[in-house]
Amino acid sequence: MICRRNVYERVSVGLIIVLLIIYLMGNTSLFSFIPSYMLTYWIIPGLWMVFILFMWFKVPKMHLETKLRHKGTILVWAFNCGVAMLMANLFAGMIQGFGKSPYSHSLQGILMNILFIFPALVGTECIRSYIMSTFGKRHKLKVACGVIVLMTFLGLNIGKLVQLTTLKDLTMYLAEQLLPSLCENILATYLVLCGGPLASIIYVGMTAAMEWFSPILPNLDWLAKGVVGMAVPIGCLMVVSSRYSKLTKEVKAYRIKEESIWQWAPTAILSVLIIWFTVGVFPIYPSAIATGSMQPMIDPGDVVLVRKVQDVEDVEGLKIGDVIQFSRDDILINHRIVDVLEQEGVTVYQTKGDNNSGIDSRLVKIEEVKGTIVGVVPKVGWPTLLFKSSNPEDLIDIEF
């Protein structure tokens, strides 16, 4: 028995090496001497098909953890998860609109895309299943974490990743690609654990089929893609894990211990959303106040909630009495509009702090307006002020 287990483990290590080699072929310049079209549409798919045949006929078979009578039910769940993802994307598209697919839908284009997508998908999920079946019986939680991280890493585009230079670019990449990929791999790994490779192939394949073969696709912004890409897999995971627990009638205490990897996912997503809000990627963002120029409405140490200016129409809609946030010499100032003027045919705003004795000496231009104040949270900005206090010169140009 120990000898047979060693064979399975050696095979699993070999499968991981094969996976890494194919990834390097498609995502690095190590094989740049091969024409990219030939590498992408012929060599790599060919390797995947040879690999699948090898696994089917030569690799020792592993038995599923799930009883055979439950497998059909789990496959139905996997299909329902795929439907949920498709419906969520369609619903989001109804809100934000649809656009034409960038992929070819000629007969040749469809055949080439099938050749590009599905051998890799089937091969990857077979490897995922084999690793979980080999190592997961003894160290289920650790192995699941390792598989999730490995598969998420192999889904990264290294070329695009190294081009990220700003916090905004990194945040958008995390929201649009990395975190949805992580959530998809969490669900796919759980489906593999419950129902074998076919379960994850059904789920992942349905999502891939919509992206590659639908003539129109939801035209979603990066934030909407992130919300759909994280919320749907995690929601499906919670439903499937709950039903699977009832299906197999396992001991409650054991399930709590073993499923902790799935239970932290909603907390992780909530933490990410809080970070996004803090760094200002939502339409409303927080900003700490350092001065008392807007007392009694806003005290030093308060945090104001600022609704971003989205376009020129938002700025032109500003009126006397609105409290706006605007930038001046890299400093953010929050003052009230006291007059709307025209200067050389361009709209400008006269502002004043409620606690100041006079109006601001400089007019605010349209391009300087960041947003309008829609709320105040008292005193929670004091930690930010402690950092700013070491650089008092930053506040010299603010008028009191």
Side-chain angles (χ1 to χ4, degrees), residues 57 122 203-204 292-293 297 310 354 369:
F57 291 106
V122 173
Y203 167 67
V204 179
S293 63
M297 176 184 176
Q310 303 290 338
D354 289 356
V369 179

Side-chain angles (χ1 to χ4, degrees), residues 28 218 275 320:
T28 67
I275 293 173
I320 294 175

Side-chain angles (χ1 to χ4, degrees), residues 8-185:
Y8 292 143
E9 292 179 355
R10 287 197 296 270
V11 170
S12 294
V13 172
L15 295 179
I16 294 174
I17 293 174
V18 170
L19 195 61
L20 291 173
I21 291 174
I22 295 179
Y23 173 77
L24 293 175
M25 291 180 68
N27 291 274
T28 67
S29 59
L30 296 176
F31 297 85
S32 58
F33 58 89
I34 303 176
S36 59
Y37 185 87
M38 182 180 295
L39 186 67
T40 301
Y41 288 99
W42 294 106
I43 295 179
I44 293 180
L47 289 175
W48 274 120
M49 286 188 284
V50 171
F51 171 75
I52 293 170
L53 292 174
F54 178 79
M55 285 198 67
W56 182 263
F57 291 106
K58 294 295 184 180
V59 173
K61 299 298 186 295
M62 294 292 296
H63 297 289
L64 294 176
E65 178 183 294
T66 305
K67 294 181 180 180
L68 186 61
R69 67 176 182 270
H70 296 153
K71 185 176 179 180
T73 301
I74 295 168
L75 296 183
V76 172
W77 293 346
F79 177 80
N80 290 338
C81 290
V83 171
M85 177 60 79
L86 298 182
M87 295 302 295
N89 276 285
L90 290 174
F91 180 75
M94 293 174 63
I95 297 175
Q96 295 199 343
F98 291 87
K100 185 178 179 181
S101 170
Y103 306 112
S104 172
H105 289 87
S106 65
L107 178 60
Q108 180 182 358
I110 292 174
L111 292 176
M112 295 302 293
N113 289 337
I114 291 175
L115 188 65
F116 173 71
I117 289 295
F118 287 102
L121 189 154
V122 173
T124 300
E125 298 311 314
C126 286
I127 292 176
R128 189 199 303 267
S129 178
Y130 202 91
I131 295 172
M132 288 301 302
S133 298
T134 302
F135 298 105
K137 292 181 179 179
R138 289 182 294 167
H139 308 287
K140 187 180 299 183
L141 180 59
K142 294 179 181 179
V143 174
C145 289
V147 169
I148 290 168
V149 171
L150 174 64
M151 296 302 182
T152 302
F153 170 76
L154 295 178
L156 299 179
N157 186 322
I158 295 179
K160 188 170 184 178
L161 189 60
V162 298
Q163 294 176 359
L164 303 177
T165 57
T166 66
L167 177 61
K168 182 178 180 180
D169 291 338
L170 178 60
T171 302
M172 292 175 65
Y173 183 80
L174 288 173
E176 186 176 356
Q177 297 189 37
L178 181 58
L179 292 175
S181 177
L182 177 66
C183 293
E184 180 182 83
N185 278 293

Side-chain angles (χ1 to χ4, degrees), residues 101-384:
S101 170
Y103 306 112
S104 172
H105 289 87
S106 65
L107 178 60
Q108 180 182 358
I110 292 174
L111 292 176
M112 295 302 293
N113 289 337
I114 291 175
L115 188 65
F116 173 71
I117 289 295
F118 287 102
L121 189 154
V122 173
T124 300
E125 298 311 314
C126 286
I127 292 176
R128 189 199 303 267
S129 178
Y130 202 91
I131 295 172
M132 288 301 302
S133 298
T134 302
F135 298 105
K137 292 181 179 179
R138 289 182 294 167
H139 308 287
K140 187 180 299 183
L141 180 59
K142 294 179 181 179
V143 174
C145 289
V147 169
I148 290 168
V149 171
L150 174 64
M151 296 302 182
T152 302
F153 170 76
L154 295 178
L156 299 179
N157 186 322
I158 295 179
K160 188 170 184 178
L161 189 60
V162 298
Q163 294 176 359
L164 303 177
T165 57
T166 66
L167 177 61
K168 182 178 180 180
D169 291 338
L170 178 60
T171 302
M172 292 175 65
Y173 183 80
L174 288 173
E176 186 176 356
Q177 297 189 37
L178 181 58
L179 292 175
S181 177
L182 177 66
C183 293
E184 180 182 83
N185 278 293
I186 292 174
L187 178 56
T189 301
Y190 192 82
L191 290 173
V192 154
L193 185 66
C194 298
L198 185 56
S200 59
I201 289 172
I202 290 173
Y203 167 67
V204 179
M206 291 178 66
T207 305
M210 178 182 180
E211 179 180 354
W212 284 85
F213 303 118
S214 174
I216 60 171
L217 293 171
N219 188 21
L220 308 182
D221 58 33
W222 63 271
L223 187 57
K225 289 180 180 178
V227 171
V228 173
M230 289 188 295
V232 175
I234 295 305
C236 290
L237 174 68
M238 296 173 69
V239 173
V240 171
S241 62
S242 175
R243 292 189 176 183
Y244 181 68
S245 178
K246 295 178 182 178
L247 184 69
T248 55
K249 299 180 180 179
E250 296 185 12
V251 180
K252 183 176 180 181
Y254 176 79
R255 296 302 296 175
I256 292 175
K257 179 180 178 181
E258 291 294 327
E259 290 184 357
S260 59
I261 184 175
W262 321 117
Q263 294 173 345
W264 61 254
T267 302
I269 291 178
L270 179 61
S271 301
V272 170
L273 293 176
I274 292 173
I275 293 173
W276 289 350
F277 175 69
T278 303
V279 300
V281 299
F282 288 115
I284 295 178
Y285 64 90
S287 181
I289 302 302
T291 75
S293 63
M294 281 298 295
Q295 288 179 316
M297 176 184 176
I298 308 171
D299 293 319
D302 290 351
V303 166
V304 294
L305 302 179
V306 185
R307 179 184 290 119
K308 288 183 181 179
V309 169
Q310 303 290 338
D311 48 40
V312 176
E313 293 182 357
D314 288 345
V315 181
E316 292 178 345
L318 296 175
K319 59 186 182 299
I320 294 175
D322 290 341
V323 180
I324 62 173
Q325 181 175 93
F326 56 94
S327 62
R328 179 161 296 163
D329 300 327
D330 296 326
I331 297 173
L332 294 177
I333 303 174
N334 302 274
H335 281 178
R336 191 181 302 277
I337 296 176
V338 294
D339 202 357
V340 180
L341 308 171
E342 282 200 10
Q343 193 176 67
E344 299 179 356
V346 178
T347 301
V348 292
Y349 303 96
Q350 182 75 68
T351 55
K352 175 182 179 298
D354 289 356
N355 196 37
N356 291 349
S357 57
I359 61 175
D360 298 340
S361 59
R362 291 168 54 182
L363 298 174
V364 178
K365 301 177 182 178
I366 287 179
E367 59 269 22
E368 294 175 328
V369 179
K370 299 298 181 182
T372 58
I373 310 304
V374 296
V376 180
V377 183
K379 306 305 178 186
V380 298
W382 277 110
T384 301

